[in-house]
Amino acid sequence: MFAEKWVSADEALSRIKKGSRVFIGSGCGEPQYLVERLVKQAERFFDVEIIHVLSIRDPGYSSTGLSHNFRVQTFFVAGRGAREAVWEGRAEYIPIFISDIPRLFNDRRLEIDTALIQVSPPDKNGYMSLGIAVDVAKEAVEAAGTVIAQVNPAMPITLGDGFIHARDVDFLVEKEEPLLEVGKPPLSETDWAIGRNVARLVENGSTLHAGLGHLPATALLSLKDKKDLGIHTDMLTEAYLELIRAGAVTNQKKEINRKKAIASYCLGGRELFDFVHLNPFIEFHPVAYTNDPNVISRHDSMVSIHEAMEVDFSGLVCTSSHRNRIYSGIGGLVDFMRGTSRARQGKFIIVLHSVTRDGQASCIVPGIPSGSGLIASRAAVQYVVTEFGWTNLHGKSLRDRTIALLEISHPKFRQELLNRAQLDGLLAHGEPITFSTAGIYPTEVEKKITRRDQTLLLRPAKPTDLRSIQEFFYGLSDQDVYYRFLRSKQAFPREEMAAIVDIDYHYRMTVLALSGEPGFDKIVALGRYIAESDEGLAEIDIAVAQDYRRLGLGHAVLEVLFEIARDKGFQGIKALVDYDNPRMIMLLKKMGYNLRATLDHGVYEVEILFEEKSEEPSFVVTYA
């Protein structure tokens, strides 16, 4: 079939002329043999412009000695060899949304003279698969004056919209060779801590996308316990494969392409390539489809995870370059940011380490340095995650963003960052919240419970909860306020409420029950203990919103507080309870411990020792 098109690589490449523009297939789908033969013929070329989306190796044509023969243009910079080529001027970077690249080709804004691609062998009908590198290859084939295809039996046949016909190719070059592979990155405990924090934000039934980098990959690997996840992504990696094999991915809950995982290209190894071969569970489509924000937005609970280098107090995100040095590119970040922000219950998540690799500087910064690449704007950023927790910046003021990012910064830099925020006027010098003595937020304490078919989150308080705590107390009845404070109160000033959130998670602990979307949730119950030392008893108090009574919510909050106090080494708890508040006494009895109390001037001074667990708790009262 099409016998006249089967030629040697040198014969096919001889059609390339001086000064022409050559497109080369991307990533693991790069036609290595054709590229190697092209470089071998370098002396006969002059000013040939090489265009590729993503190169994961040093292919040779960007070497110093060939600068007059080849001029390299790339849409994304990945790998040390590619970065050094750009830094040294041997290659040029084109910043562009990956979803816009096909239009460059289709509209002939970037004319392609020759396209070098890699395909599977033609089937009996003449169709060949672009396999693991569909991305923009179909548009490049349609736009190119000459198409040269390396036919490699090692290329998987992927289903979907990644087929081209032999009639659309000018030359077929047969060459079997192993595909390029990308190894699995080593993961640190800090990486896993970030991944676990992301997992707390991802609900069952979500549809996933993760950008390039080891932190997004770790986040995916941390989702193995989730259920009915879906996949809609441009880049498919082995992290997705592990999720599929763990049973976490079923694609059953997707709103479009239901029961199908959707991708555009693979970056991985042979195990991943074998998995996608003729697998009806997964379809490959051009990035014009996978990265279309309108398509992305049609997925409810769409989650997109991307790695950043720095985030500043205002919410600006630096991802692609730092101080005029290009490290990656725009890629699909903005496409998925736009699509996810439009999706119902969509979550756009930025992940980063709290400090640089050498530990000498914070990655939460007062401002992004000049020349750095700002891809995610202040208005678009949503969730930011480090190893110290997560926060939702969307819709927050600059003050609240600053406090939120200080919460998840590294503790050794918090005071320095706080001082800078005050110096820059983002925080007032009289700000009631401090970070100098705050402990590390205990993410392991977070717990989800279900009440009235509603999922509530139990978690320790954070400084950013200050306003929500004020609103909670203002929503209580006068009687509930009296029971909580043992006196009447008409106002709950910030300076006083700051003590509830300025906690060290050891001697001072506050646990909240929250309803709603993380970052925009509402406090429906609040419990707290304080202690002066590890010896003795921690003093406890609790309040529950009127609409959430009789749901066992007070009991759930107390359980968490009791467990924390017990783990911290306290002997028990004590509480001051008004004589006219029998509900609190009943709640304490339900905790399953004997109660001792002294009644003095209408107030019970209750004590509970953790060693006095009882199936039939007693309540012994001594009258002062």
Side-chain angles (χ1 to χ4, degrees):
M1 186 181 292
F2 302 101
E4 73 283 358
K5 296 189 177 187
W6 294 90
V7 298
S8 68
D10 290 345
E11 182 180 348
L13 295 172
S14 68
R15 306 303 176 96
I16 299 177
K17 300 177 180 179
K18 297 176 182 178
S20 62
R21 182 178 289 121
V22 177
F23 170 85
I24 295 178
S26 306
C28 296
E30 178 188 316
Q32 303 164 75
Y33 178 63
L34 290 181
V35 171
E36 290 165 5
R37 298 310 304 171
L38 180 71
V39 175
K40 288 284 186 182
Q41 300 180 28
E43 70 279 356
R44 77 175 187 84
F45 296 120
F46 191 77
D47 281 338
V48 168
E49 186 173 278
I50 303 292
I51 297 288
H52 59 64
V53 176
L54 168 68
S55 179
I56 59 173
R57 65 166 188 152
D58 183 359
Y61 46 67
S62 61
S63 62
T64 304
L66 300 179
S67 59
H68 295 293
N69 308 95
F70 300 112
R71 179 167 170 258
V72 182
Q73 302 261 18
T74 182
F75 296 111
F76 198 90
V77 180
R80 180 165 296 278
R83 288 171 184 158
E84 290 176 348
V86 171
W87 295 347
E88 296 170 7
R90 293 181 282 111
E92 298 177 28
Y93 163 63
I94 305 173
I96 190 173
F97 304 149
I98 194 172
S99 61
D100 281 352
I101 297 175
R103 191 168 63 172
L104 283 181
F105 299 160
N106 295 337
D107 295 346
R108 301 301 192 268
R109 296 176 182 176
L110 191 66
E111 293 191 4
I112 298 175
D113 299 298
T114 305
L116 306 184
I117 60 172
Q118 186 170 205
V119 295
S120 65
D123 65 13
K124 63 180 181 180
N125 298 309
Y127 284 97
M128 303 175 292
S129 173
L130 290 164
I132 60 171
V134 175
D135 50 70
V136 300
K138 286 194 74 172
E139 289 84 0
V141 167
E142 293 169 359
T146 301
V147 179
I148 303 172
Q150 177 180 335
V151 179
N152 186 356
M155 174 63 84
I157 299 172
T158 56
L159 306 180
D161 188 16
F163 290 94
I164 61 173
H165 199 275
R167 73 169 70 91
D168 299 321
V169 174
D170 297 285
F171 300 103
L172 298 167
V173 177
E174 186 172 16
K175 175 63 176 179
E176 182 171 4
E177 62 181 344
L179 300 177
L180 289 173
E181 298 186 20
V182 174
K184 298 178 182 179
L187 303 177
S188 68
E189 177 52 38
T190 301
D191 298 335
W192 283 112
I194 294 172
R196 290 190 292 269
N197 286 336
V198 172
R200 292 181 174 89
L201 294 171
V202 178
E203 303 291 341
N204 293 333
S206 298
T207 299
L208 305 176
H209 164 261
L212 191 64
H214 64 289
L215 290 183
T218 313
L220 291 178
L221 294 172
S222 301
L223 302 177
K224 290 183 180 180
D225 293 333
K226 302 293 181 180
K227 298 179 181 179
D228 288 326
L229 298 175
I231 295 173
H232 181 95
T233 184
D234 45 7
M235 177 183 66
L236 191 74
T237 64
E238 291 181 341
Y240 288 105
L241 179 57
E242 292 196 32
L243 275 185
I244 293 170
R245 289 182 169 167
V249 173
T250 65
N251 296 304
Q252 294 280 2
K253 302 293 185 180
K254 293 178 68 179
E255 283 65 38
I256 60 174
N257 304 122
R258 191 166 166 268
K259 298 185 179 180
K260 300 284 186 181
I262 302 298
S264 191
Y265 62 95
C266 288
L267 283 185
R270 192 70 243 176
E271 186 178 12
L272 179 63
F273 305 156
D274 290 341
F275 175 78
V276 300
H277 177 62
L278 289 173
N279 189 342
F281 185 74
I282 185 165
E283 291 185 357
F284 282 71
H285 292 262
V287 293
Y289 178 78
T290 61
N291 289 50
D292 183 342
N294 291 323
V295 174
I296 297 167
S297 68
R298 294 170 62 189
H299 298 86
D300 290 352
S301 301
M302 183 75 209
V303 174
S304 185
I305 307 165
H306 293 268
E307 187 168 346
M309 303 170 72
E310 290 179 333
V311 176
D312 81 358
F313 288 159
S314 71
L316 285 174
V317 178
C318 170
T319 61
S320 62
S321 63
H322 189 258
R323 298 185 186 274
N324 295 314
R325 285 220 156 182
I326 303 297
Y327 283 88
S328 56
I330 296 175
L333 186 151
V334 176
D335 297 328
F336 277 88
M337 179 181 69
R338 291 160 60 197
T340 301
S341 66
R342 299 177 196 167
R344 182 174 174 269
Q345 297 179 334
K347 291 178 181 175
F348 181 73
I349 301 173
I350 292 293
V351 290
L352 75 164
H353 288 135
S354 66
V355 294
T356 54
R357 289 185 178 181
D358 59 9
Q360 298 304 305
S362 173
C363 293
I364 305 294
V365 295
I368 301 296
S370 175
S372 299
L374 305 177
I375 293 180
S377 72
R378 296 183 180 102
V381 69
Q382 286 183 290
Y383 294 91
V384 179
V385 179
T386 72
E387 68 271 30
F388 293 105
W390 59 265
T391 188
N392 188 346
L393 301 184
H394 192 64
K396 300 292 192 298
S397 69
L398 292 181
R399 174 198 173 277
D400 288 345
R401 288 174 180 228
T402 301
I403 293 175
L405 290 169
L406 285 171
E407 286 177 358
I408 61 173
S409 65
H410 197 288
K412 73 177 182 179
F413 291 108
R414 285 179 188 168
Q415 187 59 45
E416 176 186 336
L417 293 170
L418 176 62
N419 294 341
R420 177 60 185 274
Q422 292 175 332
L423 183 65
D424 292 345
L426 289 169
L427 297 178
H429 285 279
E431 178 64 49
I433 296 174
T434 63
F435 290 88
S436 57
T437 60
I440 297 175
Y441 178 82
T443 55
E444 68 279 1
V445 174
E446 292 184 358
K447 178 182 178 182
K448 289 184 178 180
I449 61 175
T450 301
R451 297 292 187 275
R452 287 182 183 162
D453 298 325
Q454 178 182 180
T455 299
L456 304 176
L457 176 65
L458 302 182
R459 66 161 174 82
K462 306 175 184 179
T464 42
D465 294 316
L466 177 56
R467 177 58 188 170
S468 296
I469 287 173
Q470 285 182 290
E471 293 173 352
F472 171 74
F473 284 126
Y474 278 117
L476 295 179
S477 68
D478 291 343
Q479 184 184 57
D480 288 336
V481 169
Y482 185 87
Y483 286 159
R484 166 59 176 77
F485 294 96
L486 294 179
R487 60 190 174 94
S488 297
K489 285 179 65 67
Q490 299 301 317
F492 305 93
R494 287 163 47 84
E495 292 73 19
E496 184 178 337
M497 295 298 100
I500 298 178
V501 295
D502 187 14
I503 54 181
D504 60 10
Y505 306 113
H506 184 103
Y507 298 108
R508 303 187 306 279
M509 171 63 76
T510 302
V511 172
L512 309 176
L514 300 122
S515 169
E517 178 187 355
F520 295 95
D521 35 24
K522 175 183 177 183
I523 299 174
V524 296
L526 182 155
R528 180 180 181 229
Y529 77 65
I530 56 174
E532 295 181 357
S533 66
D534 288 327
E535 298 180 0
L537 309 179
E539 185 173 338
I540 203 164
D541 56 63
I542 188 170
V544 179
Q546 182 66 43
D547 293 342
Y548 285 81
R549 302 276 171 81
R550 302 183 186 279
L551 298 177
L553 198 51
H555 186 272
V557 171
L558 282 181
E559 275 190 326
V560 175
L561 286 171
F562 273 48
E563 182 178 353
I564 296 171
R566 197 165 45 240
D567 290 344
K568 297 299 182 183
F570 297 111
Q571 296 176 13
I573 67 100
K574 60 183 178 180
L576 299 178
V577 183
D578 190 271
Y579 179 80
D580 292 325
N581 188 8
R583 287 183 306 178
M584 185 61 187
I585 297 297
M586 291 301 297
L587 179 58
L588 291 173
K589 288 183 67 175
K590 287 181 180 179
M591 298 305 298
Y593 297 89
N594 292 327
L595 276 65
R596 294 188 183 88
T598 300
L599 181 61
D600 188 8
H601 291 84
V603 175
Y604 288 112
E605 297 180 14
V606 181
E607 292 187 357
I608 295 176
L609 299 179
F610 292 140
E611 63 182 19
E612 296 188 4
K613 189 82 172 173
S614 175
E615 294 183 0
E616 297 182 2
S618 61
F619 180 43
V620 178
V621 180
T622 301
Y623 296 90

